[in-house]
Amino acid sequence: MPTVAALIIGNEILTGKVQETNVALLARELFARGVDLRRVVVCRDDVRVIAEDVNDLRRRHDWVVTSGGVGPTHDDVTLAAVARAFGRELVRSRELEEMIRRLVGDRLEEGHLRMSVVPDGAELVTCPGVTWPVVLVDNVFVMPGLPKVFRIELPAVSERIGASTPFVSRAIFTLCRETEIAPLLDRIVAEHTTVEIGSYPVTDEDYRVRLTFDGIDPEAIDRAVEALLAVLPTEKIVQR
Amino acid sequence: MPTVAALIIGNEILTGKVQETNVALLARELFARGVDLRRVVVCRDDVRVIAEDVNDLRRRHDWVVTSGGVGPTHDDVTLAAVARAFGRELVRSRELEEMIRRLVGDRLEEGHLRMSVVPDGAELVTCPGVTWPVVLVDNVFVMPGLPKVFRIELPAVSERIGASTPFVSRAIFTLCRETEIAPLLDRIVAEHTTVEIGSYPVTDEDYRVRLTFDGIDPEAIDRAVEALLAVLPTEKIVQR
């Protein structure tokens, strides 16, 4: 099962100006493909910090997906940081330059051409329906942070990462409090070791706790769900 | 200026079941107090992984705030992980136990008492208006992940962290594209080195780019804002 780490680059997130949303998108996409998103780091727009994080994450995971810091302005330093992480130069990609010239035509400005500069040896990854390529350096995908563009380009990334046995997830919603079900859950968890069981209390819903059962074996998941349903008070199970 | 790192514990976030929202809350609160949130890590519900992250983050920052993995069920392992990080035992806090007994009275279950167990030597931090204490071990605050509770308990954390010269932030909203303003921005950035300038393109808004000017010196910020306004085409500035 491939492992992935995400590196979110953005002072705007660390100062609370922007609510980060790309992680949830990426997480859902990978989960559905049986790919394990193991870790997310949010770091500052600082070349040295980003380069260190890229190196740490790429050595410990099969793939790294970065989000943010891509564009023509001074605070877009991700590609420079990735180049530094790999000890490579930044070079102009003729392929990207031609693409940009085709796209903007007469409106061409210096800022546009800045976006054709990538780490030496970078690959440009596309897939059907995705017009702008994602920059891939070894096992590091460099994605834009703008959610609309991140979403559009995500299929190119997930296609390249591939898929494993898809994860399956079932859920039980209950009116029980966590304190009430904790001892019951302990037993189920001990008896169903191939199933990842999560317990999530909520507020302001028509249930109190959402219990999730994840794994790659649907029958094992069904058995764990049935085992818990058998011991939960029927009137406290919320049908959804 | 105090530095803070956040450690978000949660398989539910890494599998895309839940959209993380506590980071934005924490980030805004700290920014307003002039405290620097420098890094966020999202990790799995795994005692060993959490303990390693706690140790790494607490050594490199003045404070660490963890979110999630607190409660009575099997997947609530944050306090065990923090104990492990500090090489301490988990012990029952008589203060917490009494508090729980007062709160739940006759409804007391084994699950409730599980929540009185904390790392040896932990401090219970409260502030006026916050009824449930936050567990503090050395420089590590252990916060619940449930957003409603996280929000309620946050003042106890930020009061304890204290405040520095508050950050000030101004913004310009413009119809210019980033490619158009990148060269102008380079000059402003070079001439206003005490101001942190960010450029954030958006989609589906009545402007194209939000330019932010952050720092602790309001006059320096005003000068940078005025300098950029002087070179931006007037008709491309969006009043807000």
Side-chain angles (χ1 to χ4, degrees):
Chain A
M1 186 195 310
T3 61
V4 176
L7 179 62
I8 312 299
I9 291 119
N11 293 355
E12 71 275 27
I13 292 154
L14 294 172
T15 54
K17 292 193 187 74
V18 170
Q19 164 70 54
E20 205 290 322
T21 56
N22 291 340
V23 167
L25 263 184
L26 177 68
R28 279 196 296 271
E29 170 86 9
L30 295 179
F31 186 79
R33 301 174 77 92
V35 176
D36 199 6
L37 178 62
R38 290 177 89 88
R39 185 177 199 74
V40 176
V41 173
V42 186
C43 75
R44 289 176 290 141
D45 304 343
D46 178 306
V47 173
R48 224 157 4 155
V49 173
I50 302 168
E52 264 177 40
D53 278 322
V54 164
N55 275 335
D56 179 50
L57 294 174
R58 74 184 171 98
R59 286 173 185 145
R60 294 161 60 195
H61 303 85
D62 296 322
W63 300 95
V64 175
V65 178
T66 76
S67 161
V70 179
T73 55
H74 65 284
D75 55 348
D76 294 317
V77 296
T78 304
L79 285 165
V82 171
R84 183 187 178 122
F86 283 93
R88 301 198 192 165
E89 298 291 312
L90 283 173
V91 295
R92 178 152 297 178
S93 153
R94 216 188 300 172
E95 195 181 338
L96 270 179
E97 184 178 340
E98 278 169 19
M99 205 175 287
I100 290 165
R101 287 185 185 276
R102 264 201 313 276
L103 272 171
V104 300
D106 288 347
R107 291 195 299 105
L108 191 78
E109 284 157 347
E110 185 208 330
H112 289 115
L113 290 180
R114 289 189 189 182
M115 293 172 72
S116 63
V117 174
V118 295
D120 198 13
E123 186 184 340
L124 303 177
V125 182
T126 51
C127 80
V130 178
T131 44
W132 192 259
V134 174
V135 174
L136 173 63
V137 184
D138 196 358
N139 61 341
V140 179
F141 292 99
V142 181
M143 299 268 286
L146 195 59
K148 201 171 185 175
V149 186
F150 187 93
R151 182 190 294 270
I152 290 172
E153 294 189 358
L154 187 53
V157 172
S158 55
E159 287 246 320
R160 181 59 169 266
I161 289 176
S164 182
T165 314
F167 290 117
V168 178
S169 187
R170 285 189 62 184
I172 296 174
F173 300 85
T174 171
L175 290 168
C176 294
R177 289 172 211 279
E178 274 201 314
T179 46
E180 200 176 341
I181 37 178
L184 304 175
L185 269 181
D186 285 351
R187 226 179 50 227
I188 308 285
V189 168
E191 287 166 2
H192 301 264
T193 51
T194 65
V195 181
E196 182 87 35
I197 302 178
S199 171
Y200 306 109
V202 294
T203 50
D204 311 317
E205 296 278 354
D206 63 350
Y207 61 95
R208 285 214 181 92
V209 178
R210 170 191 187 188
L211 298 155
T212 62
F213 300 75
D214 295 359
I216 54 172
D217 177 355
E219 285 171 22
I221 290 172
D222 288 347
R223 282 194 298 272
V225 169
E226 295 310 318
L228 187 61
L229 286 175
V231 292
L232 279 183
T234 321
E235 72 280 10
K236 291 199 168 174
I237 299 166
V238 178
Q239 301 296 340
R240 308 197 105 216
Chain B
M1 184 195 308
T3 59
V4 176
L7 179 61
I8 312 300
I9 292 119
N11 293 354
E12 70 276 30
I13 292 152
L14 294 172
T15 54
K17 292 192 187 74
V18 170
Q19 164 69 53
E20 205 290 322
T21 55
N22 291 340
V23 166
L25 264 183
L26 177 69
R28 280 195 296 270
E29 171 88 7
L30 295 178
F31 186 79
R33 301 174 77 92
V35 176
D36 198 7
L37 178 62
R38 290 177 88 88
R39 186 178 197 72
V40 177
V41 174
V42 186
C43 75
R44 290 176 289 142
D45 304 343
D46 178 306
V47 173
R48 229 171 344 168
V49 173
I50 302 168
E52 264 176 41
D53 278 321
V54 164
N55 275 335
D56 178 51
L57 294 174
R58 76 185 170 96
R59 286 174 185 143
R60 294 161 60 195
H61 302 85
D62 296 322
W63 300 95
V64 175
V65 177
T66 74
S67 161
V70 178
T73 56
H74 66 284
D75 55 348
D76 294 318
V77 296
T78 303
L79 285 164
V82 171
R84 181 185 180 124
F86 284 92
R88 299 197 193 166
E89 298 292 312
L90 283 173
V91 295
R92 178 153 298 177
S93 153
R94 218 190 295 172
E95 194 181 340
L96 270 180
E97 184 178 338
E98 277 168 19
M99 204 175 287
I100 290 166
R101 286 184 186 279
R102 264 201 314 276
L103 273 173
V104 301
D106 289 347
R107 293 194 296 106
L108 191 77
E109 286 157 347
E110 185 209 330
H112 289 114
L113 290 179
R114 289 189 189 182
M115 292 171 72
S116 64
V117 173
V118 296
D120 198 12
E123 187 184 340
L124 303 177
V125 181
T126 50
C127 81
V130 178
T131 45
W132 192 258
V134 175
V135 173
L136 173 63
V137 184
D138 197 358
N139 62 340
V140 180
F141 292 100
V142 181
M143 300 268 286
L146 196 58
K148 201 171 185 172
V149 187
F150 187 93
R151 182 190 294 269
I152 290 170
E153 295 190 357
L154 188 54
V157 172
S158 54
E159 287 248 320
R160 180 60 167 266
I161 289 176
S164 183
T165 313
F167 291 116
V168 179
S169 186
R170 285 190 62 186
I172 296 174
F173 299 85
T174 171
L175 290 168
C176 293
R177 291 173 210 279
E178 275 202 313
T179 47
E180 201 177 339
I181 38 178
L184 305 174
L185 271 180
D186 285 351
R187 227 178 49 226
I188 309 284
V189 169
E191 286 166 2
H192 300 265
T193 51
T194 65
V195 182
E196 182 87 34
I197 302 178
S199 172
Y200 306 110
V202 294
T203 49
D204 311 318
E205 296 279 353
D206 63 350
Y207 61 95
R208 286 213 179 93
V209 178
R210 172 190 185 188
L211 299 155
T212 62
F213 301 76
D214 294 0
I216 55 172
D217 177 355
E219 286 170 23
I221 290 171
D222 288 347
R223 282 194 297 273
V225 168
E226 294 311 317
L228 187 62
L229 286 176
V231 292
L232 279 183
T234 320
E235 73 280 9
K236 291 201 169 172
I237 299 167
V238 178
Q239 300 296 340
R240 310 196 103 217

